[in-house]
Amino acid sequence: MTTRVLVVAGGALVACMLAIGLADDLHRRIPLFIALNGAAFVAYLIAVRAVLRSPSASRSALLAIAVVAVAARIALLPARPELSTDSYRYVWEGRVVLDGGNPFATPPADSSLTRLRDDDFDLINHRPLTTIYPPLAQALFALGVWIAPNVVALKSIFTVFDLGVVLVLIALLRARGRPATHALLYAWSPLVVVETAHSGHLDAAGAFFLVLGVTLLAAGRRMWGGAALGASFLVKYLAAAMVPLLLKRGYRVALPVLAATAAAGFLPFLDAGDGITRTLVTYGSEWSFNGPPFMALSVLLSEESRARFALMMLGAIIVLAAAVRERDVTRYAFIVIGAALLLSPTVYPWYLVWIVPFLCVYPNRAWLAFTGLIGFSYWVWVVYEATGAWMLPNWVLALEYVPFYGPYDAQELVESFSD
């Protein structure tokens, strides 16, 4: 029975992804995207319910999960990214690295790089700013451009990492005595599929190394786990939240390996000086989007900088408390990644790619709902086209966050962190 449900739900999911991939000018057809993404999410929830109710993982169910996971991603790979322009920035930076330049030192707008511009140059975001993406991300950008100077090559690389997450999750689930079919919660997540195979975001690569590091640490392979976490940090800095746990006895051997891996990655770019952190500081001190706790605190404290500081301190308290209390590295990762997302002033949909792998182990209803509802945040394109302002109306924020912070889901969220 479970396999039949998976076949029907999986077929609907793939059909929705194919329709999204075939839609032109998707950022100008946001209601269509929301409808298709919503239909895909309903199919996903039906499949999630089926696998969570099944006490075991049959071969036929695993085969159905694998086939649909691959087919859904293939359906989106040829499409031009329309919901985000980040992948065009990736291609540009890969081109700069292959040309011998340093993206931490020279922004796209610099006249010395004019010879590298192509027809997609106008699609590159934040052109006056140097890169925010760490060294391993730069290496992946360069690899994609070396294969082919277009977004499809890079999307394909990130999709390989994306599917790699599924394989690591199966190993993690089996080690914890859970059915391997629970990997469906990541493998079929419409958010993960769209943000990786369609929009080409690098987050799946960072999540791969994070989940690999957690799995290795849990298996007692501390040094390899530290190296994997260092690689995750070099894709996107979120893995730094794992450091407090590594200060505990039993994990300490992983910390110098993580530090050495991270330091080695930055060596080729040190000539950029403070350019290595310049845009990261700008991001942390100035950018905000779709973060209600930050918005509420900014009003309450009458100043955005105070709100950022308060959220940073609260986040630090949560991370340190979790490090003191938690012995389970997987639960620790779930808690600190979740806290980082909830307290961030900026919450784009692709940021949630980092939390979805842990929902396979902790299938929290609040987080599952949020991965679907955050698709409404793309309504920002409708507002932008009409007014030129990059902001969300209050009704969109309510659709996203009221179910998440609702009485039942809030209680479940707290209980999942306190069990």
Side-chain angles (χ1 to χ4, degrees):
M1 182 64 179
T2 299
T3 304
R4 292 180 183 177
V5 172
L6 293 182
V7 169
V8 174
L13 177 66
V14 172
C16 291
M17 294 299 108
L18 184 61
I20 290 173
L22 292 175
D24 294 326
D25 292 329
L26 198 58
H27 67 291
R28 293 191 174 93
R29 305 171 72 183
I30 294 302
L32 173 64
F33 167 74
I34 289 175
L36 291 172
N37 189 62
F41 189 69
V42 170
Y44 166 69
L45 289 181
I46 292 171
V48 167
R49 185 172 182 268
V51 298
L52 291 182
R53 289 191 166 196
S54 179
S56 60
S58 66
R59 289 186 177 181
S60 59
L62 283 172
L63 178 61
I65 291 171
V67 170
V68 170
V70 173
R73 288 159 172 81
I74 290 175
L76 293 177
L77 280 177
R80 267 179 82 83
E82 292 282 354
L83 298 172
S84 166
T85 59
D86 282 359
S87 57
Y88 298 103
R89 175 94 190 202
Y90 301 166
V91 171
W92 169 264
E93 293 184 1
R95 190 178 295 127
V96 171
V97 170
L98 287 180
D99 190 60
N102 186 341
F104 290 99
T106 313
D110 195 289
S111 59
S112 67
L113 299 178
T114 302
R115 68 186 185 286
L116 298 180
R117 298 178 184 179
D118 61 8
D119 293 340
D120 290 334
F121 181 76
D122 289 341
L123 296 174
I124 298 171
N125 54 35
H126 308 295
R127 290 190 291 274
L129 299 179
T130 55
T131 189
I132 196 173
Y133 304 110
L136 184 51
Q138 298 297 329
L140 294 175
F141 301 161
L143 175 61
V145 174
W146 179 77
I147 294 171
N150 56 55
V151 294
V152 175
L154 261 180
K155 292 202 297 178
S156 300
I157 290 173
F158 295 141
T159 298
V160 170
F161 281 106
D162 179 28
L163 293 172
V165 174
V166 180
L167 297 177
V168 177
L169 281 171
I170 290 173
L172 177 63
L173 288 165
R174 285 175 171 165
R176 299 178 70 92
R178 302 286 187 89
T181 48
H182 288 194
L184 175 144
L185 276 73
Y186 178 90
W188 285 22
S189 168
L191 178 137
V192 172
V193 176
V194 168
E195 298 305 337
T196 304
H198 186 274
S199 294
H201 288 290
L202 58 75
D203 297 77
F208 168 80
F209 288 113
L210 176 65
V211 177
L212 178 61
V214 167
T215 302
L216 290 169
L217 288 174
R221 304 178 69 178
R222 312 291 199 229
M223 294 185 68
W224 285 108
L229 293 179
S232 180
F233 178 83
L234 290 173
V235 175
K236 207 167 186 178
Y237 300 111
L238 192 54
M242 298 297 295
V243 169
L245 183 72
L246 302 186
L247 295 171
K248 295 178 72 172
R249 183 177 300 173
Y251 292 112
R252 288 175 188 166
V253 69
L255 187 56
V257 179
L258 187 161
T261 302
F266 279 98
L267 286 177
F269 300 98
L270 291 180
D271 61 317
D274 66 354
I276 289 177
T277 58
R278 187 182 304 130
T279 300
L280 184 64
V281 171
T282 299
Y283 170 84
S285 61
E286 297 182 12
W287 292 0
S288 64
F289 175 78
N290 196 31
F294 168 72
M295 297 165 67
L297 271 179
S298 295
V299 173
L300 183 64
L301 300 177
S302 303
E303 190 175 326
E304 288 192 358
S305 61
R306 293 175 182 172
R308 291 179 193 274
F309 181 77
L311 289 173
M312 183 174 65
M313 290 298 99
L314 178 57
I317 291 170
I318 292 173
V319 168
L320 292 175
V324 170
R325 177 187 164 187
E326 292 297 332
R327 299 184 64 86
D328 186 335
V329 63
T330 308
R331 178 174 287 278
Y332 173 83
F334 176 47
I335 292 172
V336 299
I337 298 301
L341 292 170
L342 294 180
L343 299 178
S344 175
T346 306
V347 186
Y348 282 108
W350 52 93
Y351 291 12
L352 268 61
V353 169
W354 292 82
I355 197 73
V356 178
F358 299 101
L359 300 183
C360 300
V361 181
Y362 308 105
N364 178 275
R365 191 168 79 169
W367 277 112
L368 280 170
F370 193 32
T371 65
L373 294 172
I374 199 170
F376 282 100
S377 68
Y378 281 116
W379 195 264
V380 70
W381 280 110
V382 177
V383 177
Y384 183 75
E385 291 288 330
T387 68
W390 192 258
M391 60 179 295
L392 288 172
N394 289 333
W395 66 266
V396 170
L397 294 169
L399 274 174
E400 289 182 87
Y401 286 97
V402 168
F404 184 84
Y405 288 113
Y408 179 88
D409 284 348
Q411 179 183 356
E412 182 184 330
L413 187 67
V414 171
E415 289 174 353
S416 72
F417 285 171
S418 59
D419 286 344

